[in-house]
Structure formats: C-alpha cells, structure tokens
Amino acid sequence: MLDQDASDAEILRGLAADDRGAFETLYRRHNASMVRVASAILRNHASGEEVAHETWIAVLRNVGKFEGRSSLAGWILTILSNRAKTRVKRDGLSVALDMSDQGQDADDAFDGRGNWKNLPELWDEITPERVVAGRQVIDHVAEAIEALPPAQRAVLVLRGQQELEAQEVCELLEITEGNMRILLHRARRAVRDAIDAATT
C-alpha cells in the first residue's frame, strides 16, 4: 500500500499499474467522506453507502479518463454527487440543500472568512490524562459532525475534510456561495460548541 501522504500522481500511476495498494490508499483517504456526503444528499446512510460503492466501481472503470482538470478528490466527489442526485430523481426524493430561505445569524465566534476568532483552549502540557481526554473530545467532534443537518454535514466534509475549493463545493451541491458559507458557518459553530462542551 502507498503511504497515506502519497500524491494524486503517485496514486494514479499505481491505479494504472493495477496496484491494489494504490486503490486501498485512495479508499482509506476518501471513503468515509464519500459516504457522509452521499448520505447527506440522500438523507439515508444505507443509500449513501450504496452510492459510494457504485462510485468506486465507476472510478476504477474510468480512472484512465481522468484529465486532471480538478483534484482527484474533486473528480471522485463529482461522480459521487451525480450518482446521488440521479438516485434522488429516480426515487422521487426531494432534497433541499439550499438555505436561501434562512437568514444568516450573527455569531462572534468566526470572522468573515469562516475562521475561528478564538481557537479552543489548548493544553499547555501533554499528560496521559489529557491524551485520553483528547480522544474523548475527538469522539464528541465526530458525533457532532454526524448529528449535523445533512446540508451542513456535506459542506463541512467537502470544505474541511476534503479541502475542496468553495466553487467546487457549490457546484457539487448546486448551492450558491452565500448559502455554502452559511452552512459552513453553522456547521463549524456546532462543532465548536461540541468541543467547548467536552472541554469544560
């Protein structure tokens, strides 16, 4: 298996050479996020897992067609998003990721770019007790992400975990940049609240 920090180019070379390790590295890097995004679009975890599985099959069949116009993650997530939206239409589901009907609430925790004004309090020294507490905080954060409304979770995963550009996220989810910022702002605030609750 390739190193977890392997570049897109290294992974693509491995996939072209039918290197199972290259696929395993790619899978470990993106599958959890893919399931979260698909589940957010479909509002159903089992369906999200199915769409992620279908996406991996499509990725392996079409990786030779990847032209590098976007990041490899962006390409994979575009396939995922298209498959999820196709399933929404096929099954007659209605999924609203748009937030245009909701006003942006003021919050002093973040600046205009969505960054925290005041980071969560950091520990001065690392002790075994604090390492254990840190693991508990991570569990709280994971739970907070899973508890987010679908649209907020999708935006947070795509921007925060997959590090896609704002424009890519808007195109994938078919939302405006303003709506994307509101969703991201609210998601980050909810996670921040979870960290504060876990560390106080």
Side-chain angles (χ1 to χ4, degrees):
M1 182 167 59
L2 292 175
D3 186 280
Q4 265 308 111
D5 296 325
S7 68
D8 285 357
E10 290 172 313
I11 290 172
L12 287 166
R13 280 195 297 273
L15 292 174
D18 292 327
D19 178 3
R20 181 184 175 103
F23 175 73
E24 288 177 7
T25 298
L26 190 64
Y27 182 89
R28 287 174 193 256
R29 188 177 290 176
H30 298 296
N31 190 65
S33 296
M34 289 167 63
V35 171
R36 284 192 185 111
V37 171
S39 298
I41 293 170
L42 294 160
R43 298 192 183 195
N44 181 289
H45 186 76
S47 296
E49 288 182 331
E50 288 175 16
V51 167
H53 179 75
E54 292 169 7
T55 300
W56 282 120
I57 293 170
V59 165
L60 290 175
R61 286 182 179 158
N62 297 292
V63 71
K65 298 175 184 174
F66 176 66
E67 298 176 350
R69 293 181 188 168
S70 65
S71 66
L72 184 56
W75 179 70
I76 292 169
L77 289 164
T78 297
I79 296 170
L80 176 87
S81 175
N82 289 338
R83 287 185 172 269
K85 290 171 190 170
T86 297
R87 182 173 288 209
V88 165
K89 290 176 186 169
R90 184 194 75 193
D91 295 347
L93 302 172
S94 104
V95 176
L97 290 176
D98 192 79
M99 297 286 293
S100 56
D101 61 333
Q102 299 185 31
Q104 183 170 2
D105 37 35
D107 185 57
D108 294 330
F110 302 95
D111 63 21
R113 300 178 65 186
N115 299 316
W116 287 346
K117 287 182 180 175
N118 300 305
L119 291 172
E121 187 176 325
L122 300 175
W123 293 319
D124 295 327
E125 297 177 27
I126 300 297
T127 64
E129 294 80 14
R130 288 178 173 166
V131 169
V132 171
R135 289 185 185 140
Q136 292 171 349
V137 169
I138 290 170
D139 291 341
H140 286 292
V141 170
E143 288 173 11
I145 291 172
E146 290 304 317
L148 289 171
Q152 290 180 26
R153 186 176 348 130
V155 169
L156 184 65
V157 168
L158 293 171
R159 282 290 281 151
Q161 294 178 336
Q162 290 296 324
E163 299 180 349
L164 296 186
E165 295 296 327
Q167 183 179 349
E168 286 183 286
V169 175
C170 293
E171 289 172 1
L172 283 170
L173 300 179
E174 297 178 351
I175 57 176
T176 66
E177 187 170 348
N179 289 338
M180 186 274 298
R181 287 185 184 190
I182 292 170
L183 292 165
L184 183 60
H185 173 81
R186 290 179 177 170
R188 285 177 171 167
R189 188 182 61 199
V191 173
R192 171 65 184 261
D193 289 346
I195 293 171
D196 287 345
T199 55
T200 55

